[in-house]
Amino acid sequence: MISIDLKSNKPIYEQIIEQIKLHILKGHLNPGDSIPSVRKLALDMSITPGTVARAYQELERQGIIETIRGKGTFIASTQESKTDEGRLAENIKLLRSVVLDLTVMGQSEEEILSLVKKIYKEMSVC
């Protein structure tokens, strides 16, 4: 279900968060679906439980998963659609950096917008 890239500059816990969100977006995980426990996922991926716990804590903070004591961890039945202003600002800053890099590499506005549209379509294909 989740694979990590040990060569990536992105921390493992962020890769876990991103992949769970992507599975939800693509319809592979639906509200109410169970996801592996922290220990099981850590064991399956050969990583420390603390790394998985950090990812799960952030997903829970964002309202994407919920843990029910004694039952397990599940995709939240009601996805909160509120905007987290801090995360939005952080992502805009990141997007600015990427757009600057692409522009310096010689990409035009049209090419950059085309790339964004392509990535968006790839992520929303079920």
Side-chain angles (χ1 to χ4, degrees):
M1 177 175 134
I2 295 175
S3 60
I4 55 173
D5 179 2
L6 297 175
K7 295 179 183 176
S8 173
N9 290 335
K10 185 176 284 195
I12 293 171
Y13 83 96
E14 288 182 6
Q15 292 181 50
I16 294 169
I17 291 169
E18 188 175 273
Q19 288 195 30
I20 288 176
K21 287 179 178 180
L22 193 57
H23 282 299
I24 293 168
L25 186 65
K26 290 187 175 240
H28 302 149
L29 288 172
N30 298 299
D33 285 353
S34 174
I35 60 174
S37 70
V38 168
R39 288 183 186 181
K40 176 157 179 30
L41 187 58
L43 186 62
D44 291 348
M45 297 177 69
S46 300
I47 59 175
T48 65
T51 301
V52 177
R54 185 171 181 189
Y56 279 22
Q57 287 169 349
E58 180 59 23
L59 287 165
E60 203 155 356
R61 188 189 72 74
Q62 294 176 22
I64 294 173
I65 65 171
E66 54 192 358
T67 300
I68 302 170
R69 262 181 117 71
K71 295 199 179 214
T73 305
F74 305 88
I75 302 303
S77 54
T78 56
Q79 299 290 322
E80 296 181 21
S81 60
K82 65 180 182 177
T83 301
D84 179 334
E85 296 299 326
R87 280 184 46 225
L88 180 60
E90 189 177 305
N91 282 310
I92 289 172
K93 183 178 176 182
L94 179 61
L95 189 55
R96 277 194 181 110
S97 176
V98 170
V99 169
L100 175 62
D101 268 356
L102 290 170
T103 303
V104 168
M105 289 172 46
Q107 299 293 303
S108 68
E109 177 183 358
E110 294 78 22
E111 290 169 322
I112 293 170
L113 290 173
S114 176
L115 284 170
V116 170
K117 286 179 182 178
K118 178 182 176 193
I119 292 168
Y120 184 84
K121 285 179 183 176
E122 287 172 358
M123 291 173 51
S124 60
V125 173
C126 292

